[in-house]
Amino acid sequence: MLENIASPTRQLLQHPYALHSPTTPGRTRTKGMKLIVGSPGTWSSMALRVSQCIFAAASLCTMATAFGNSNYSAFAYMITTLILQLSWSLVLACVDIFSIRNKKDIHNRALVTIIVLGDWITAVLVFTGASASASVTILFTRDVNFCRVYSQLACGQFVLSIVLAFILWLLDAASSFSGFWLLVSFL
């Protein structure tokens, strides 16, 4: 039967480290790697990435439309990190969709390392942006009462945007840890 298949395909089928995944027929994975929930190229990863895109876009729109956000550097930093997170999650969601649609296995050490590093960097940036914005908002609402004195300041939108950013960070942490777990399975 292997005589009818082209030479490069035959070599791929005879490769000693290619195993057929018991859960997904037709897809191959590298020997020793585990199928982990949230790992790149799976439905759970795509769901995490799409959720990250939704929460990043919602938090970004809420913060960007709030009156007075451009006057404070913490809010500008949060907007910048949300744009970066939205772009990163959108690209990885497209990679997941491509992998699922074409039944491609994207579990290789170099790609997973890049994804894990990108996830950790964006998770730290989103967390620092949300924390800085939360501290400024707490200062405005509780310490100096800016929200009462300056009623045009959109403190409610700031709070909503920060809550959405922290939910985004939790989703990002989940995908970061699943990617890290997958990276450890290479060892």
Side-chain angles (χ1 to χ4, degrees):
M1 180 173 150
L2 288 177
E3 293 80 26
N4 298 335
I5 301 174
S7 178
T9 307
R10 188 175 339 126
Q11 289 174 355
L12 177 67
L13 291 174
Q14 293 174 344
H15 193 271
Y17 293 111
L19 296 174
H20 288 286
S21 171
T23 58
T24 311
R27 292 180 88 176
T28 58
R29 61 185 173 102
T30 309
K31 183 178 183 179
M33 269 186 29
K34 301 178 189 235
L35 292 175
I36 297 170
V37 174
S39 63
T42 61
W43 284 100
S44 57
S45 174
M46 186 186 69
L48 273 172
R49 300 301 176 180
V50 169
S51 299
Q52 289 170 4
C53 287
I54 290 169
F55 279 98
S59 181
L60 179 65
C61 290
T62 306
M63 182 61 79
T65 59
F67 179 78
N69 69 352
S70 60
N71 297 333
Y72 306 101
S73 60
F75 297 148
Y77 176 69
M78 186 169 148
I79 288 172
T80 305
T81 60
L82 289 172
I83 290 171
L84 177 67
Q85 177 66 47
L86 180 63
S87 304
W88 176 255
S89 296
L90 190 61
V91 166
L92 290 181
C94 291
V95 168
D96 287 337
I97 290 169
F98 172 80
S99 174
I100 292 168
R101 186 170 186 262
N102 296 324
K103 295 184 174 133
K104 298 283 183 185
D105 187 15
I106 58 172
H107 291 161
N108 63 41
R109 188 177 300 204
L111 185 61
V112 170
T113 302
I114 290 169
I115 291 172
V116 167
L117 286 175
D119 279 344
W120 280 90
I121 290 169
T122 55
V124 167
L125 290 175
V126 167
F127 183 74
T128 57
S131 297
S133 297
S135 64
V136 170
T137 304
I138 289 171
L139 176 75
F140 286 173
T141 57
R142 299 211 175 134
D143 296 335
V144 293
N145 293 325
F146 268 12
C147 293
R148 272 193 215 137
V149 175
Y150 301 107
S151 60
Q152 70 269 19
L153 204 60
C155 293
Q157 280 185 278
F158 295 153
V159 171
L160 177 61
S161 178
I162 291 164
V163 168
L164 291 171
F166 276 115
I167 294 171
L168 166 66
W169 174 73
L170 289 174
L171 291 169
D172 204 16
S175 63
S176 298
F177 283 120
S178 68
F180 182 70
W181 197 268
L182 180 66
L183 192 60
V184 169
S185 73
F186 280 117
L187 302 176

